[in-house]
Amino acid sequence: MNRRTFLAGTAASLSSAQPQPQRTNVLFILADQWRFSAFTHAQDPNVRTPNFDRFAQQGMHFARTYAANPVCTPNRSCILTGRYSHQHGMIHNDIMLPPSEHCMPQVFSDAGYATHYVGKWHMDGEPRPGFVPPGWRRRGIQTFEGFNRGHFYPTGAQYFTSEGQLLHPQVYEPTYQADLAMSFMKRNRTHPFFCYLSWGPPHTPYKPPQKWKVYDPEKIEWRENVL
């Protein structure tokens, strides 16, 4: 055994003897059709976003981020793949992300994380609401509580279980989806996890339950570029 082999073996044994650092859990939340200026911390006088403000203070806050595409399916695909629309081919809505694309949840799953998805997917073609089946079409997501496309929150929630059962809980959809995400995280307290929570609002049809109608249209302060 030469010196180099000995040192390499010693370093490896020392490394394995060290306690492994606790891996960071990841909660990724996507709100449909939300712009940076529409936050309290962005000084918009029309909005009140105390929970998002807390996320900005306690989580990862990027001061300069940009949507890679202004259309739903393409931009969701950009987020999942880390690539531009012309690279992954998702250039308009209601088409399926090619199976060749390597996606963010796959990286976490390969690293031993529990991966979970809640909410709207919109990368599995035209089916509405559409069950996204296990396998490559989930892109590394191990358990899935959601649907392919659509917005149902004015009349309650709608989603498929991970096994494919379609449910219609009569609860405001974002609230119910948040509960599903929290249940997953609680089940994985002792295991590293990646949880992707995809809310529908403030996307059309802009008809929240009465409890959530907190804005008066007559008091909106229009931006200077609104004609």
Side-chain angles (χ1 to χ4, degrees):
M1 179 182 293
N2 60 31
R3 175 177 175 274
R4 181 171 297 176
T5 303
F6 172 78
L7 291 177
T10 302
S13 64
L14 288 175
S15 176
S16 62
Q18 297 296 322
Q20 294 297 314
Q22 183 176 358
R23 287 184 286 180
T24 301
N25 295 322
V26 179
L27 170 62
F28 186 95
I29 299 178
L30 179 65
D32 209 327
Q33 291 194 171
W34 205 305
R35 56 187 294 160
F36 175 78
S37 62
F39 291 96
T40 306
H41 66 262
Q43 308 302 314
D44 189 311
N46 296 303
V47 298
R48 298 185 295 277
T49 56
N51 293 321
F52 276 124
D53 295 342
R54 287 175 57 198
F55 278 132
Q57 294 167 1
Q58 300 175 12
M60 183 67 71
H61 180 206
F62 297 100
R64 296 184 62 182
T65 54
Y66 305 89
N69 193 299
V71 181
C72 187
T73 294
N75 195 57
R76 288 172 179 269
S77 301
C78 292
I79 293 173
L80 217 64
T81 64
R83 284 155 45 89
Y84 291 109
S85 304
H86 69 277
Q87 295 174 313
H88 54 59
M90 304 290 275
I91 57 175
H92 58 80
N93 278 338
D94 306 336
I95 55 179
M96 184 176 289
L97 186 64
S100 58
E101 292 298 320
H102 193 65
C103 299
M104 176 169 54
Q106 293 173 273
V107 177
F108 282 97
S109 182
D110 292 345
Y113 277 64
T115 55
H116 188 65
Y117 194 95
V118 177
K120 175 185 173 184
W121 181 252
H122 211 181
M123 291 174 286
D124 199 56
E126 295 185 355
R128 176 177 178 173
F131 173 58
V132 182
W136 67 268
R137 284 162 66 180
R138 290 189 180 177
R139 318 296 171 156
I141 296 292
Q142 299 158 7
T143 49
F144 196 105
E145 294 176 303
F147 51 91
N148 180 44
R149 57 185 283 255
H151 292 273
F152 314 99
Y153 48 85
T155 57
Q158 177 168 295
Y159 77 101
F160 290 94
T161 66
S162 195
E163 295 74 30
Q165 181 183 4
L166 181 60
L167 301 178
H168 301 271
Q170 296 304 301
V171 181
Y172 186 40
E173 187 176 78
T175 300
Y176 195 82
Q177 291 170 339
D179 288 341
L180 291 174
M182 287 189 289
S183 294
F184 165 77
M185 291 185 287
K186 288 177 180 178
R187 294 194 302 270
N188 288 273
R189 289 180 186 272
T190 60
H191 192 280
F193 63 75
F194 170 80
C195 182
Y196 196 127
L197 173 57
S198 176
W199 284 321
H203 193 286
T204 53
Y206 308 129
K207 295 180 180 179
Q210 189 62 41
K211 177 182 178 181
W212 303 105
K213 292 183 179 180
V214 297
Y215 296 105
D216 182 353
E218 299 299 325
K219 296 181 179 179
I220 296 295
E221 297 184 30
W222 299 107
R223 297 168 62 88
E224 294 180 357
N225 61 348
V226 176
L227 298 178

